[in-house]
Amino acid sequence: MLRILLEGGFQGRLYPVNRYGGEVLGIKAYTSVKNIPGAVDYAFIQVPAKASIEIIRDCGAKGVRLATLFTAGFGESEADGGSKLEQELVSAARQSGVRLLGPNCMGIYHPAENLSFAIGLPAESGSLGALCQSGGNSVHLVRAAAQRGINLSKVIGYGNAADLNEADLMEYFAQDPESKAVIAYIEGAREGKRFFRALKVAAQAKPVIVFKGGQSEVGNAAALCHTGSLSGSKEVWDSLVKQARAIQAHNIDECVDIALALLLMKSPRGRRAAVIGFGGGATVQAADDCCGAGLVLPSLPETIKWELKKFTRLAGNIFRNPLDMSDIINIPPEMGHAVRVVGNWTGIDLLILHLGVEIGPYSLLNLNTLEALGEALIDAAKEVGKPAVLVAHAICSPHGYQEVSRLQEMCSEASLPFYPSIQRAASAINKVIKYYETR
Amino acid sequence: MLRILLEGGFQGRLYPVNRYGGEVLGIKAYTSVKNIPGAVDYAFIQVPAKASIEIIRDCGAKGVRLATLFTAGFGESEADGGSKLEQELVSAARQSGVRLLGPNCMGIYHPAENLSFAIGLPAESGSLGALCQSGGNSVHLVRAAAQRGINLSKVIGYGNAADLNEADLMEYFAQDPESKAVIAYIEGAREGKRFFRALKVAAQAKPVIVFKGGQSEVGNAAALCHTGSLSGSKEVWDSLVKQARAIQAHNIDECVDIALALLLMKSPRGRRAAVIGFGGGATVQAADDCCGAGLVLPSLPETIKWELKKFTRLAGNIFRNPLDMSDIINIPPEMGHAVRVVGNWTGIDLLILHLGVEIGPYSLLNLNTLEALGEALIDAAKEVGKPAVLVAHAICSPHGYQEVSRLQEMCSEASLPFYPSIQRAASAINKVIKYYETR
């Protein structure tokens, strides 16, 4: 943790504590929290479980307000006395006036203060906040979001939730001005009713995405072993999230998919989409995936077809919605023109731009125009001004990966949501539209 | 097409035909099929739709047995007379004794004869056959399968199915000795009853995976425009595939997922799986995904826990199923040992090895042991001898992509099915188990 803070450029004072004194990573270590000369705001504790209770008392004596307990082996543990030890820990904290994150958690990532919990996480702040009951999922979330072009305002990991729990943290995020949207990964609610109230308030203030881990019986048991959480039934959670008007997700990647549409895409006026891509089979699949996810693909009117036929051939194209523009896919300016023609049609609320790289009768990789094509599509979408996303997928050959990554970067720079499949894009967009509909 | 055949190293004689004569890619072109000096077995035709009928007659006169019509603008087309032209085409073919693939299709990929329909497809033959109503999906299938370590025996594209249709091709694949399993991408059945009979026969002889494109109303309409297919309702197809004891898939990647489990994994005796991985949140998700897909994850018996505790610590590990081996994830020989201990447990039928690269409190990328870890897991799985798969996923940073690709290659070399997510692995395995259960 000290190394992570040093490498992350944390600007505050750092005091290593080790019962044998000496130095840690070249910094003088104190034998007790109580021997530290200056004031201490926050403690990160990674000592054996049994030793942690005394440390908490020391923290209290020193005036520490908040401690993160990385240490595991409490309520989640099979070992004898884990739950009892956790109760003692909480009593010690209450008596000492110290609030706890954890035990069994990684604590806080807050890039504005260069506070981090893993090596190599972004130093830039964003506007997405998260409370996360799993350290692994926290790291996954921050990395996956950054990869897709959005950053976190802060992530608060809270592990076993022995003291500060999902309800406290949801109350915090409801009023946190740094967080315009919130993701909550929760394995079980310590205070179900209070959490429900907090969720309702938060979801009125800003969009909240809830990902409940442990929805199957075995997943439930795994959650019990992971964070000591009693998970609650899937049905209860489904209805709780729905009633609170929050948005439900089922994995971290889906949380990011939804956050992307919330933060980068204008709010659509409705669910009528146009899909512009190429390849017959890909077009049929896009239709099935969009309809399966609840989007509506209205038929192209004759006026729009007529506009398109001015500069494209008929053979090889399909002038329906989804549009198959195989004929001009290798001519970026004409593809841009097609996006403008279709995008300005008043019959649709949003645009899905769709490039199957490495699939299709044409491999876009062989055309050497993928970057120019991406640029033309992104520029045209910006010009149209309607909500829009770009979907590009490859089978992940090295060359395909490279090209799709470049497209993803271009989308990030242009603040256009990027998705790796129509299915994921359509599902995220639909959930976001449903969210706006309930408001 | 000529360029593709030349670059692909086709060994037979090639006769370009062009009405103006001259040369095509340095090869003398004949002004008519009838002027070709030698015998002609197979013709690939890409002339305007209206000109194709005379060419078919010429082919008949020359004794050509089979022609692929790349040309579009027939039954699938909005243009006036497309359907009528298709009828004329079929009449001409019947009168001339020529069988047709298409029109509006890419024809045959048969690596054993270096016959291909796209640049850069594998030259190696495999044991997976496919009939595919979309050229784009055909190319996607061949590339995606190769990327995952399996090759195709042959793919037959058949577009509008004006002459040879899904029933003919299914009859062919049922008895094709080069194909041990079959994938069928179908947008609509020309001869529903005959196809159903052929599918039943084929599925008795070998596993058949059916992917029906155009299951939504809009997808249906897209299929009509793509290959002139009248798609049929989702319910009819669902029950047809089930009654025939074939396996249903919903996209090309899922076809490959299932084929991988069919061709590379031993047939499991049941659906009891053990998942061995690391990270608390990842473990909870793995449990939910496996259970959601219909696999059973039995609890670890005390004897196995006791074996594992001999060489691992308790803290950080979860000795349930899924197993969270965070404590030893960076010690490849111990991870191999854990796989042997769990794999030899008689309570399970199959093993799922699970590496979340770039996620988790530990990033495997920082440990520099990922290749050694992969090796240890693959070797241990081979030693155990039960059906096994490896799942590895990254958020796709360049480094993560590189490392996961390397793992995928190692799995290919070891004939161990590789999946990019637990969800996809569990769903494919479950479908394969269901297939074996009906036999």
Side-chain angles (χ1 to χ4, degrees):
Chain A
M1 180 48 61
L2 188 60
R3 190 188 303 273
I4 290 166
L5 291 172
L6 291 170
E7 288 195 13
F10 179 71
Q11 296 296 312
R13 310 253 352 218
L14 289 167
Y15 304 104
V17 175
N18 183 289
R19 67 156 104 164
Y20 303 111
E23 288 191 346
V24 183
L25 297 176
I27 306 178
K28 174 183 163 55
Y30 295 86
T31 53
S32 160
V33 177
K34 292 186 286 191
N35 299 340
I36 295 170
V40 177
D41 302 308
Y42 172 57
F44 189 92
I45 301 172
Q46 46 190 128
V47 298
K50 281 179 183 157
S52 60
I53 292 170
E54 197 196 321
I55 308 276
I56 286 292
R57 293 218 167 87
D58 289 353
C59 285
K62 185 67 191 171
V64 171
R65 304 283 298 277
L66 177 68
T68 289
L69 251 91
F70 182 74
T71 305
F74 291 91
E76 87 290 358
S77 173
E78 287 197 353
D80 286 343
S83 295
K84 191 162 161 288
L85 205 60
E86 189 167 305
Q87 284 165 18
E88 287 173 32
L89 177 76
V90 174
S91 304
R94 298 261 152 90
Q95 286 157 15
S96 318
V98 180
R99 299 305 303 260
L100 289 184
L101 284 172
N104 185 25
C105 84
M106 288 166 52
I108 301 170
Y109 165 74
H110 189 201
E113 296 181 290
N114 298 101
L115 196 59
S116 181
F117 45 47
I119 296 284
L121 299 189
E124 298 77 26
S125 287
S127 57
L128 178 63
L131 52 134
C132 192
Q133 203 164 2
S134 154
N137 282 357
S138 301
V139 176
H140 182 177
L141 171 62
V142 177
R143 289 212 180 103
Q147 180 76 12
R148 306 278 291 284
I150 53 177
N151 287 310
L152 276 291
S153 54
K154 65 198 70 168
V155 180
I156 305 183
Y158 66 101
N160 289 11
D163 178 22
L164 288 168
N165 62 28
E166 68 293 334
D168 298 300
L169 297 174
M170 190 55 80
E171 284 175 1
Y172 168 77
F173 275 109
Q175 53 72 49
D176 174 33
E178 289 183 336
S179 304
K180 306 255 173 285
V182 181
I183 289 173
Y185 172 73
I186 295 175
E187 295 192 349
R190 284 273 175 159
E191 291 186 89
K193 284 186 186 164
R194 213 186 121 218
F195 172 68
F196 180 55
R197 283 196 302 273
L199 181 62
K200 268 207 295 201
V201 171
Q204 258 160 20
K206 54 190 82 174
V208 181
I209 301 161
V210 176
F211 164 27
K212 169 66 179 64
Q215 296 217 334
S216 62
E217 200 182 324
V218 182
N220 227 304
L224 182 63
C225 294
H226 178 217
T227 52
S229 296
L230 283 165
S231 227
S233 81
K234 187 183 176 311
E235 290 68 29
V236 169
W237 275 92
D238 286 353
S239 100
L240 182 147
V241 172
K242 196 177 168 189
Q243 278 179 52
R245 300 188 177 175
I247 304 169
Q248 197 164 23
H250 294 93
N251 56 59
I252 292 292
D253 289 329
E254 192 189 3
C255 290
V256 176
D257 287 346
I258 297 168
L260 222 60
L262 284 167
L263 293 172
L264 299 185
M265 193 180 73
K266 281 191 191 179
S267 110
R269 289 173 310 150
R271 58 182 62 248
R272 299 169 306 168
V275 182
I276 305 177
F278 75 105
T283 298
V284 172
Q285 178 87 59
D288 282 346
D289 288 345
C290 286
C291 294
L295 297 184
V296 172
L297 303 181
S299 292
L300 276 195
E302 287 304 320
T303 49
I304 303 288
K305 288 187 198 177
W306 187 78
E307 280 293 322
L308 292 169
K309 283 173 189 171
K310 280 187 191 167
F311 62 97
T312 64
R313 291 187 308 147
L314 184 63
N317 292 327
I318 299 178
F319 294 118
R320 288 192 68 89
N321 182 14
L323 285 100
D324 174 357
M325 304 306 288
S326 294
D327 173 39
I328 56 165
I329 193 66
N330 57 344
I331 312 170
E334 298 200 356
M335 279 300 290
H337 192 40
V339 169
R340 282 189 293 268
V341 167
V342 175
N344 287 323
W345 166 31
T346 54
I348 55 150
D349 306 308
L350 64 114
L351 270 173
I352 299 177
L353 311 174
H354 179 208
L355 299 176
V357 179
E358 290 184 290
I359 69 163
Y362 312 78
S363 170
L364 290 183
L365 298 180
N366 299 333
L367 295 175
N368 291 317
T369 51
L370 195 54
E371 189 161 337
L373 182 59
E375 232 168 70
L377 294 177
I378 292 169
D379 288 351
K382 291 271 154 198
E383 213 184 301
V384 167
K386 283 189 184 163
V389 304
L390 190 141
V391 175
H393 44 87
I395 55 128
C396 278
S397 75
H399 189 186
Y401 167 75
Q402 211 175 5
E403 295 287 321
V404 168
S405 295
R406 178 70 196 112
L407 277 175
Q408 185 167 326
E409 263 172 49
M410 289 166 65
C411 287
S412 287
E413 284 157 21
S415 291
L416 191 77
F418 173 94
Y419 294 92
S421 75
I422 288 278
Q423 199 171 27
R424 281 173 61 176
S427 167
I429 292 168
N430 186 56
K431 288 188 175 189
V432 166
I433 291 172
K434 274 192 178 159
Y435 167 78
Y436 288 122
E437 281 171 352
T438 63
R439 300 198 60 79
Chain B
M1 179 48 60
L2 188 60
R3 190 190 303 275
I4 290 166
L5 291 171
L6 290 170
E7 288 194 14
F10 180 71
Q11 296 297 311
R13 309 251 356 216
L14 290 167
Y15 304 104
V17 175
N18 183 291
R19 69 156 106 162
Y20 304 110
E23 288 191 346
V24 183
L25 298 176
I27 306 178
K28 174 185 163 55
Y30 295 86
T31 52
S32 160
V33 177
K34 291 187 285 190
N35 299 340
I36 294 170
V40 177
D41 300 308
Y42 173 55
F44 189 92
I45 302 172
Q46 46 189 129
V47 297
K50 282 179 184 158
S52 59
I53 292 171
E54 196 196 321
I55 307 276
I56 286 292
R57 292 218 167 88
D58 289 352
C59 285
K62 184 69 191 169
V64 172
R65 303 285 297 277
L66 178 68
T68 289
L69 251 91
F70 181 74
T71 306
F74 291 91
E76 88 289 357
S77 172
E78 287 197 354
D80 287 341
S83 296
K84 191 162 162 286
L85 204 60
E86 191 167 304
Q87 285 166 18
E88 286 173 31
L89 177 75
V90 174
S91 305
R94 298 260 152 89
Q95 285 159 14
S96 320
V98 181
R99 298 306 301 259
L100 290 184
L101 285 171
N104 186 24
C105 87
M106 287 165 54
I108 302 170
Y109 165 73
H110 189 202
E113 296 180 290
N114 299 102
L115 195 60
S116 180
F117 46 47
I119 295 285
L121 298 190
E124 297 78 29
S125 286
S127 58
L128 178 62
L131 54 133
C132 193
Q133 204 166 1
S134 153
N137 282 357
S138 300
V139 176
H140 182 178
L141 171 62
V142 177
R143 291 212 179 103
Q147 180 76 9
R148 305 279 290 284
I150 52 176
N151 287 311
L152 276 290
S153 54
K154 66 197 70 170
V155 180
I156 305 182
Y158 67 100
N160 289 11
D163 178 22
L164 288 168
N165 63 29
E166 68 292 334
D168 298 299
L169 296 174
M170 190 55 81
E171 284 176 1
Y172 169 78
F173 276 109
Q175 54 71 47
D176 174 34
E178 290 183 336
S179 303
K180 306 256 173 286
V182 181
I183 290 174
Y185 172 72
I186 295 176
E187 295 193 348
R190 285 271 175 159
E191 291 187 89
K193 284 187 187 163
R194 212 184 124 217
F195 173 69
F196 179 55
R197 283 196 302 272
L199 181 63
K200 267 206 298 200
V201 171
Q204 258 160 19
K206 54 190 84 174
V208 181
I209 302 161
V210 176
F211 164 27
K212 169 66 180 64
Q215 295 217 335
S216 62
E217 200 182 324
V218 181
N220 226 304
L224 182 63
C225 295
H226 178 217
T227 52
S229 295
L230 282 167
S231 229
S233 83
K234 186 181 177 314
E235 292 67 30
V236 168
W237 274 91
D238 286 353
S239 100
L240 181 148
V241 173
K242 198 178 167 189
Q243 279 180 52
R245 299 186 178 176
I247 305 169
Q248 198 167 22
H250 294 92
N251 56 60
I252 291 291
D253 289 328
E254 194 189 4
C255 290
V256 175
D257 287 347
I258 297 168
L260 222 59
L262 284 167
L263 294 172
L264 300 186
M265 193 180 75
K266 281 189 191 183
S267 109
R269 288 172 311 150
R271 56 183 62 248
R272 298 169 308 166
V275 183
I276 306 177
F278 76 105
T283 298
V284 173
Q285 177 88 59
D288 283 344
D289 287 345
C290 285
C291 295
L295 297 183
V296 173
L297 303 182
S299 292
L300 275 195
E302 288 304 319
T303 49
I304 303 288
K305 288 187 197 176
W306 186 78
E307 280 293 322
L308 291 170
K309 282 173 188 168
K310 280 186 190 168
F311 62 97
T312 63
R313 294 184 308 146
L314 184 62
N317 291 328
I318 299 177
F319 294 117
R320 289 192 67 90
N321 183 14
L323 287 100
D324 174 357
M325 305 306 289
S326 294
D327 173 36
I328 57 165
I329 192 67
N330 56 344
I331 312 170
E334 299 200 356
M335 280 299 291
H337 192 39
V339 170
R340 281 187 294 269
V341 168
V342 176
N344 288 322
W345 165 31
T346 53
I348 54 151
D349 306 306
L350 64 116
L351 272 172
I352 300 176
L353 311 175
H354 179 207
L355 300 176
V357 179
E358 289 184 292
I359 71 163
Y362 311 79
S363 170
L364 290 184
L365 297 182
N366 298 332
L367 296 175
N368 291 319
T369 51
L370 194 54
E371 188 160 338
L373 182 59
E375 233 166 69
L377 295 177
I378 291 169
D379 287 351
K382 291 271 152 197
E383 213 183 301
V384 168
K386 284 189 184 163
V389 305
L390 190 140
V391 175
H393 44 88
I395 56 130
C396 277
S397 76
H399 190 187
Y401 166 76
Q402 211 175 3
E403 295 288 321
V404 168
S405 295
R406 178 71 196 111
L407 277 174
Q408 184 166 325
E409 262 172 49
M410 290 165 65
C411 287
S412 287
E413 283 157 22
S415 292
L416 191 78
F418 173 95
Y419 294 92
S421 76
I422 288 278
Q423 200 171 27
R424 281 174 60 178
S427 167
I429 291 168
N430 186 56
K431 288 189 174 187
V432 166
I433 291 172
K434 275 194 179 158
Y435 167 76
Y436 287 122
E437 282 172 352
T438 63
R439 298 197 63 78

